[in-house]
Amino acid sequence: LGKQGGGRERGGGGSDVVQTVTGGLRDLYLRKLLPLEEHYRFHDFHSPALEEADFENKPMVLLVGQYSTGKTTFIRYLLEQDFPGMRIGPEPTTDSFIAVMYGDSEGNIPGNALVVDPKKPFRKLSRFGNAFLNRFMCSQLPNQVLKSISIIDSPGILSGEKQRISRGYDFCQVLQWFAERVDRIILLFDAHKLDISDEFSEAIKSFRGQDDKIRVVLNKADQVDTQQLMRVYGALMWSLGKVINTPEVLRVYIGSFWAHPLRNTENRRLFEAEAQDLFKDIQNLPQKAAVRKLNDLIKRARLAKVHAYIISYLKKEMPSVFGKENKKKELISRLPEIYIQLQREYHISAGDFPEVKKMQELLETCDFTKFHSLKPKLIEAVDNMLANKIASLMSLIRQEESNMPTEIVHGGAFDGTMAGPFGHGYGEGAKEGADEDEWVVAKDKPAYDEIFYTLSPINGKISGISAKKEMVTSKLPNSVLGKIWKLADCDGDGMLDDEEFALAKHLIKIKLDGYELPGTLPSHLVPPSHRKPFQTVE
């Protein structure tokens, strides 16, 4: 959503709407959801309470991958400049979580100072202790890209049990904390290192419930040829299928994301198209930030409700005097059955329940007698929020989207794809010949004229029936040929002259080459005899 940086950038009526949306989300959370969370100790089991900065912060992108897959280089590629604390090498170089954010001057903020700053959304990370905070920092720099988004670089993941133990903090828990708050999670893979280590597998599993945020990048794809790339892509999808238990296929972007010459150029067009798609996905994050925060709040509310039902059920089943410890053990072991019972009783989807094993581990250390019984008013407040209040916020967001100009990420590598001869698709398909004086169809017109005169034109024009006989030989669907006819029949007389026929053949060629047809005929494709006086090719 535009202007998500804490509301400090004001301009025009749209900003007030943004403030209303952000303020509305915060107000809903504080008045409706937080009381339920606190009453049933939601924060001890799942996620810390949300703070002001969680609602105000810019969209964040989390990069995760094994060592030397190009995570830090990817950030350098997007920003087109080095950032403080950046280290790149073939060995595991990034040993810290680095939040790359906008600042008026370059500098680093160490983790312990970062988690006490109320303007940054990292205060709740203090619960992971000094072992983590010594490996966490914020890198600030004045960069156009960072005015719209923040990027989180994570330590390269190694394989083996030793790595997991030696970190000194729960790496997967930290990743899960970030995953709940970021707008996009990008998993990076190296075309030469497709194995998913134990720790990487655990890291991916910690993103459970955040599948809609995950994108996959197959980096360094220029280092293999086309045949090898097909095998690598297949192997990657097979590996991911074993770790990410969803029926849908993840979106994988293939390319080489650094500012160096391609080692293998035979897939250049593929890499350019994939990079463009990835850039569009990232560029649209500011526009979608409010919807993402709303979506995350709904997910959180559903989990909080389920948690309340679980805790209140355990409280209800506990004896008042004797046999408390034995009953506690029995209830923990029966948790899967309790889940099924609650699903039936309250008509809750199985997907809304927390993971059984994790919940059982957390319950081991709890005193069930201190749990609270079910309080219907708290549940009703959350139900009311989900049924009514959320809908009014959604209409506010739609109003904001229609009233404000679309905000996208600018600067860095993103500007290189916007316009000019190196913009994606420049001079290709329907855009070919846009900056030339001569009509682009003219070079093939002699060949098209030969076909035209075999169709027995009358008074220099062929009928629709004659044109159809020739156009259907392209084997394109009638819906496509109908659009081509509409574009080519410039004067709308239901017939084609030699120039209009040549244009139709040119548009057929564009479609057969794999490009999209334009919605309206660009000025440079209009046949010379059909151009209005003083019309120039733009």
Side-chain angles (χ1 to χ4, degrees), residues 231-379:
R231 291 173 179 163
V232 165
Y233 180 81
L236 174 61
M237 299 308 291
W238 180 79
S239 300
L240 285 171
K242 293 198 299 180
V243 180
I244 300 175
N245 298 316
T246 57
E248 297 84 11
V249 177
L250 284 173
R251 175 65 164 100
V252 178
Y253 298 92
I254 303 169
S256 181
F257 296 95
W258 66 343
H260 290 263
L262 295 175
R263 295 190 184 178
N264 194 323
T265 58
E266 60 189 73
N267 292 311
R268 183 184 186 106
R269 269 191 66 188
L270 170 67
F271 298 159
E272 286 174 357
E274 292 286 281
Q276 188 69 14
D277 286 351
L278 179 59
F279 283 176
K280 279 181 184 173
D281 187 64
I282 296 173
Q283 281 182 302
N284 289 330
L285 290 180
Q287 189 185 355
K288 297 175 181 174
V291 176
R292 193 275 304 168
K293 286 171 185 172
L294 188 65
N295 188 50
D296 284 354
L297 188 69
I298 294 168
K299 280 196 281 189
R300 188 182 179 98
R302 291 167 73 94
L303 179 59
K305 266 183 64 182
V306 169
H307 178 76
Y309 287 134
I310 295 168
I311 295 300
S312 59
Y313 180 89
L314 296 175
K315 168 69 176 177
K316 185 179 74 173
E317 294 294 308
M318 284 298 285
S320 54
V321 185
F322 301 112
K324 292 180 183 177
E325 201 57 38
N326 288 337
K327 188 64 176 177
K328 174 183 168 180
K329 287 177 183 175
E330 180 205 325
L331 287 170
I332 291 174
S333 65
R334 279 186 49 232
L335 197 60
E337 300 165 34
I338 293 169
Y339 276 17
I340 294 168
Q341 187 177 331
L342 292 174
Q343 284 172 40
R344 289 174 182 159
E345 187 176 346
Y346 296 105
H347 309 290
I348 304 168
S349 166
D352 288 348
F353 281 78
E355 196 179 341
V356 173
K357 193 178 286 185
K358 181 188 169 189
M359 196 69 179
Q360 286 173 324
E361 289 171 6
L362 292 166
L363 287 169
E364 291 282 357
T365 58
C366 295
D367 182 353
F368 286 15
T369 59
K370 291 184 179 176
F371 287 167
H372 293 290
S373 301
L374 192 63
K375 208 170 180 181
K377 278 191 177 179
L378 290 175
I379 299 287

Side-chain angles (χ1 to χ4, degrees), residues 209-228:
Q210 310 295 337
D211 305 324
D212 55 320
K213 298 180 181 179
I214 297 176
R215 303 289 184 272
V216 178
V217 169
L218 179 57
N219 201 12
K220 307 183 184 180
D222 64 322
Q223 297 179 13
V224 294
D225 61 31
T226 304
Q227 186 180 22
Q228 290 170 326

Side-chain angles (χ1 to χ4, degrees), residues 1-290:
L1 185 67
K3 312 294 185 196
Q4 281 292 313
R8 287 175 290 280
E9 300 174 67
R10 290 185 174 270
S15 294
D16 297 329
V17 179
V18 177
Q19 298 308 306
T20 309
V21 172
T22 305
L25 282 170
R26 184 177 58 245
D27 186 53
L28 277 182
Y29 175 72
L30 294 175
R31 288 193 304 109
K32 305 284 187 180
L33 187 53
L34 185 60
L36 180 75
E37 291 182 355
E38 289 176 337
H39 194 67
Y40 295 104
R41 295 173 55 185
F42 177 86
H43 309 138
D44 297 336
F45 287 83
H46 303 289
S47 178
L50 299 178
E51 293 191 322
E52 180 92 11
D54 291 310
F55 296 98
E56 301 283 0
N57 68 303
K58 297 170 188 171
M60 293 193 289
V61 178
L62 172 66
L63 300 182
V64 181
Q66 299 187 162
Y67 76 94
S68 196
T69 51
K71 295 186 299 298
T72 308
T73 305
F74 182 78
I75 299 174
R76 170 73 181 76
Y77 173 71
L78 292 183
L79 302 182
E80 291 189 342
Q81 73 176 92
D82 294 347
F83 57 89
M86 184 183 88
R87 289 171 60 210
I88 295 174
E91 76 284 5
T93 48
T94 304
D95 62 348
S96 304
F97 280 87
I98 302 176
V100 187
M101 307 180 83
Y102 183 83
D104 293 328
S105 57
E106 287 195 17
N108 287 330
I109 305 173
N112 281 288
L114 196 56
V115 295
V116 295
D117 185 350
K119 292 181 181 178
K120 298 281 192 296
F122 306 122
R123 280 165 49 112
K124 296 296 182 180
L125 283 169
S126 57
R127 71 188 177 106
F128 294 106
N130 273 329
F132 166 71
L133 295 178
N134 291 335
R135 289 281 177 266
F136 179 45
M137 61 181 280
C138 175
S139 175
Q140 290 189 319
L141 66 157
N143 184 284
Q144 185 71 24
V145 173
L146 299 176
K147 283 186 176 181
S148 304
I149 59 171
S150 301
I151 306 172
I152 312 294
D153 193 8
S154 63
I157 298 173
L158 301 177
S159 58
E161 185 69 25
K162 183 183 175 185
Q163 172 67 13
R164 240 189 344 260
I165 295 167
S166 65
R167 287 195 192 274
Y169 62 90
D170 194 326
F171 181 66
C172 290
Q173 282 286 311
V174 173
L175 283 179
Q176 186 178 349
W177 187 94
F178 276 112
E180 289 170 358
R181 287 158 178 79
V182 300
D183 296 70
R184 189 65 75 237
I185 301 165
I186 296 180
L187 304 178
L188 277 101
F189 289 87
D190 184 331
H192 288 290
K193 286 201 295 254
L194 290 181
D195 60 306
I196 298 179
S197 67
D198 292 345
E199 191 180 22
F200 196 13
S201 176
E202 290 299 315
I204 295 172
K205 286 174 183 173
S206 70
F207 299 143
R208 179 178 177 264
Q210 310 295 337
D211 305 324
D212 55 320
K213 298 180 181 179
I214 297 176
R215 303 289 184 272
V216 178
V217 169
L218 179 57
N219 201 12
K220 307 183 184 180
D222 64 322
Q223 297 179 13
V224 294
D225 61 31
T226 304
Q227 186 180 22
Q228 290 170 326
L229 184 58
M230 288 176 64
R231 291 173 179 163
V232 165
Y233 180 81
L236 174 61
M237 299 308 291
W238 180 79
S239 300
L240 285 171
K242 293 198 299 180
V243 180
I244 300 175
N245 298 316
T246 57
E248 297 84 11
V249 177
L250 284 173
R251 175 65 164 100
V252 178
Y253 298 92
I254 303 169
S256 181
F257 296 95
W258 66 343
H260 290 263
L262 295 175
R263 295 190 184 178
N264 194 323
T265 58
E266 60 189 73
N267 292 311
R268 183 184 186 106
R269 269 191 66 188
L270 170 67
F271 298 159
E272 286 174 357
E274 292 286 281
Q276 188 69 14
D277 286 351
L278 179 59
F279 283 176
K280 279 181 184 173
D281 187 64
I282 296 173
Q283 281 182 302
N284 289 330
L285 290 180
Q287 189 185 355
K288 297 175 181 174

